[in-house]
Every structure is written in structure tokens, then in C-alpha cells.
């Protein structure tokens, strides 16, 4: 069985086939003419057939040489294209990024970040998955997503790296013109309280704020989505506490927002990824774009 030639040998063969001149082909291949002659002779021996008819004045391809040239052109083109694509992947120009985000960030800052990212890196495919922190962190651990814009992981979850982006303060949300006389945490014990679901990051920070204030209001309703909660408030069913980043999710309703202090309550939003997993160049570029979006 003929020995398979290397790509380097095939490139030298192609150069000779294109120039039909040993001296010129050797110069363009950056080898000596004797070295090129030896390469072609060994190639013919390995393949078991004559590739060139040659004399002192003329070099031309044989039929076998013409067949090999067609094959060589295809192989080199496929090889060059594959490594060109690999080079684009390694430089971040191509690739795929799966991004997990909080719903409030998805309808807030993310669209502008993605617009700028697409302008700079049009060859990168981006998939966005919205979800609560617990679900997204599990997807990170299972390597189903590359990066997440989330609240910090639990203290026991040391396998994640977290880069803070911004603080997201809470506000009392009510119907416009119906704010309590002094909007504060005590207001939730005096008016019907509409809360987010216990598994949400919003509920965790509001429960912590109530505990620091020595309060324990009982929710009249619990909602899994801020949009639902906003509709309940607009219908006059009660008031709630939401981070300011949730405003776009309830923007369809005429609601008033009043910052809550004493105690001040806010959630930290940042970029999380799996500590033991190297980020692809495309994911690194996405991380830079997310960071720049909060600069």
C-alpha cells in the first residue's frame, strides 16, 4: 500500500505542478532545487507512479500527476479552511456562547450589551437562557451554559468565580398616587403585601431586610414573575418590594417606585462562571462586553 505523503510534500508537488519549473518551484517553496528533486522522486516512489515527464528543457504532469494535483488542491483547500476557522475560533471571531441571565437583566441592560457584542463579533452565536439563580448555577455546574449574570452563589458553592457588576437597590412599588405617607419597610405590615416566590433572589433579600428591621409581614400573594406582581399591584391588590432593575418588567403599568432605606436592601449582580473550566475566547469576549456594559 502506498505511503501517504505529508501536507508539506503535497504543497511542494503543487508548486512544481503550477510552475513546471524546478528552480522556480524550489525558490517559492523555500527549499533547494536538489531537495525538491529528491522530494518529488521519493513521492513518486511512495505512490508507485510517475508524476512528471521531464527533460532538460521541459517539465509536464503525467495523467497520474494531474489526478494527484486535483486531489492535492482539494486537500490543501480543506486543510487551510479548517485551520482558518480554528484561528478565528481561537481569536474569538467565531464560536458559540450560552449565557444564563436573570429575567430582570434580560429585559434591562442585556439587549444593548448584545447589540454592541454583535457589531464587534458578528461570527459568534449567542444563546440566552433566563432563569432563577439556583437553576442557572446548576446549569453552570453541568456545563450547559458558559457564563451567567446572576446574584452571588451560595457561600458553600466554591466552584464558581463571581465578578461583581453593580448593586441593585430595592424600592417599594405601589400604584401611582397611592404611596404610603412614609414609604418604608413598616409599610408592608400596614398594607397588603405581594411577594415574589420564596425561591427567587428578590424574596431572599426582602426577607433578610424584614428580619433586620424586626418585621415579619405575611404575603397576601406570591408570584414567580415580576410582570405578574406588577399586574397585581396595578389592580389594587397590594404593594411590593422589588429591585430597581425590575422596572422594565412592569413598565406597562402606572406604578410608583420609592427607594427603601433603614435598613438599605440591595442585591449584588455579577458575572459567574465555573472556576475549573477555561472560558473559550468567545466567552472571554462576552465577559468583557458584559463588564464594559456596566462601566
Amino acid at each position: 500500500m502506498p505511503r501517504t505523503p505529508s501536507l508539506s510534500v503535497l504543497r511542494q508537488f503543487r508548486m512544481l505542478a503550477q510552475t513546471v519549473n524546478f528552480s522556480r518551484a524550489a525558490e517559492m517553496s523555500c527549499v533547494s532545487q536538489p531537495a525538491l528533486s529528491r522530494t518529488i522522486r521519493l513521492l513518486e516512489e511512495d505512490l508507485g507512479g510517475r508524476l512528471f515527464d521531464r527533460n532538460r528543457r521541459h517539465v509536464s504532469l503525467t495523467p497520474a500527476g494531474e489526478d494527484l494535483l486535483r486531489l492535492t488542491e482539494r486537500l490543501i483547500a480543506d486543510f487551510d479552511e479548517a485551520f482558518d476557522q480554528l484561528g478565528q475560533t481561537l481569536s474569538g471571531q467565531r464560536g458559540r456562547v450560552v449565557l444564563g441571565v436573570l429575567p430582570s437583566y434580560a429585559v434591562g441592560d442585556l439587549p444593548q450589551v448584545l447589540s454592541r457584542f454583535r457589531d464587534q463579533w458578528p461570527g459568534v452565536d449567542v444563546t440566552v437562557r433566563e432563569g432563577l439563580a439556583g437553576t442557572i448555577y446548576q446549569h453552570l455546574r453541568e456545563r450547559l451554559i458558559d457564563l451567567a449574570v446572576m446574584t452571588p452563589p451560595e457561600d458553600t458553592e466554591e466552584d464558581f468565580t463571581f465578578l461583581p457588576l453593580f448593586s441593585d437597590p430595592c424600592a417599594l412599588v405601589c400604584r401611582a398616587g397611592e404611596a404610603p405617607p412614609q414609604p418604608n419597610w413598616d409599610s408592608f405590615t400596614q398594607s397588603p403585601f405581594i411577594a415574589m416566590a420564596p425561591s427567587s433572589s428578590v424574596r431572599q433579600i426582602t426577607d433578610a431586610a424584614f428580619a433586620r428591621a424586626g418585621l415579619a409581614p405575611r404575603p397576601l400573594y406570591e408570584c414567580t414573575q415580576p410582570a405578574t406582581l406588577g399586574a397585581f399591584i396595578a389592580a389594587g391588590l397590594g404593594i411590593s418590594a422589588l429591585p430597581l432593575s425590575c422596572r422594565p418588567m412592569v413598565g406597562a403599568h402606572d406604578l410608583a417606585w420609592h427607594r427603601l432605606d433603614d435598613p438599605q436592601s440591595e442585591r449584588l449582580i455579577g458575572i459567574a462562571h465555573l472556576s475549573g473550566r477555561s472560558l473559550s475566547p468567545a466567552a472571554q469576549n462576552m465577559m468583557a462586553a458584559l463588564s464594559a456594559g456596566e462601566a
Side-chain angles (χ1 to χ4, degrees), residues 4-22 24-31 35-36 39-40 43 47 51-52 61 68-69 71-84:
T4 303
S6 69
L7 191 65
S8 175
V9 168
L10 290 178
R11 288 188 185 277
Q12 291 183 44
F13 161 77
R14 183 181 67 166
M15 186 61 67
L16 179 58
Q18 291 174 342
T19 62
V20 293
N21 184 290
F22 271 90
R24 191 179 312 143
E27 180 181 355
M28 297 179 70
S29 299
C30 298
V31 298
L36 176 61
T39 294
I40 298 302
L43 176 61
L47 297 179
L51 301 175
F52 292 94
L61 283 167
L68 179 60
L69 179 60
L71 175 61
T72 297
E73 294 281 10
R74 187 166 72 248
L75 289 173
I76 291 176
D78 289 345
F79 181 89
D80 289 345
E81 181 182 3
F83 273 83
D84 178 65

Side-chain angles (χ1 to χ4, degrees), residues 217-270:
R218 183 175 179 274
L220 180 62
Y221 300 102
E222 292 180 342
C223 305
T224 59
Q225 296 295 331
T228 305
L229 188 147
F232 281 21
I233 298 172
L237 297 177
I239 63 176
S240 189
L242 287 174
L244 293 178
S245 66
C246 292
R247 294 185 74 162
M249 303 186 73
V250 297
H253 306 289
D254 187 16
L255 305 179
W257 294 67
H258 303 273
R259 285 281 296 270
L260 288 165
D261 298 305
D262 194 26
Q264 186 177 17
S265 182
E266 58 187 19
R267 62 178 181 175
L268 182 63
I269 305 297

Side-chain angles (χ1 to χ4, degrees), residues 128-170:
V128 177
R129 296 181 180 174
E130 301 173 59
L132 300 180
T135 300
I136 294 299
Y137 275 110
Q138 183 60 34
H139 287 173
L140 273 174
R141 188 178 289 107
E142 295 172 353
R143 303 194 174 195
L144 298 176
I145 62 177
D146 303 298
L147 294 171
V149 180
M150 283 286 137
T151 52
E154 297 294 329
D155 292 341
T156 57
E157 296 178 312
E158 298 177 354
D159 48 346
F160 297 108
T161 297
F162 184 82
L163 174 67
L165 288 179
F166 62 92
S167 294
D168 194 12
C170 282

Side-chain angles (χ1 to χ4, degrees), residues 46 48 70 87 179 205 241 252 281:
D46 289 340
R70 285 191 289 270
I205 62 171

Side-chain angles (χ1 to χ4, degrees), residues 13 35 54 67 78 102 220 286:
F13 161 77
R54 48 199 181 270
D67 289 341
D78 289 345
L102 289 168
L220 180 62
M286 173 60 75

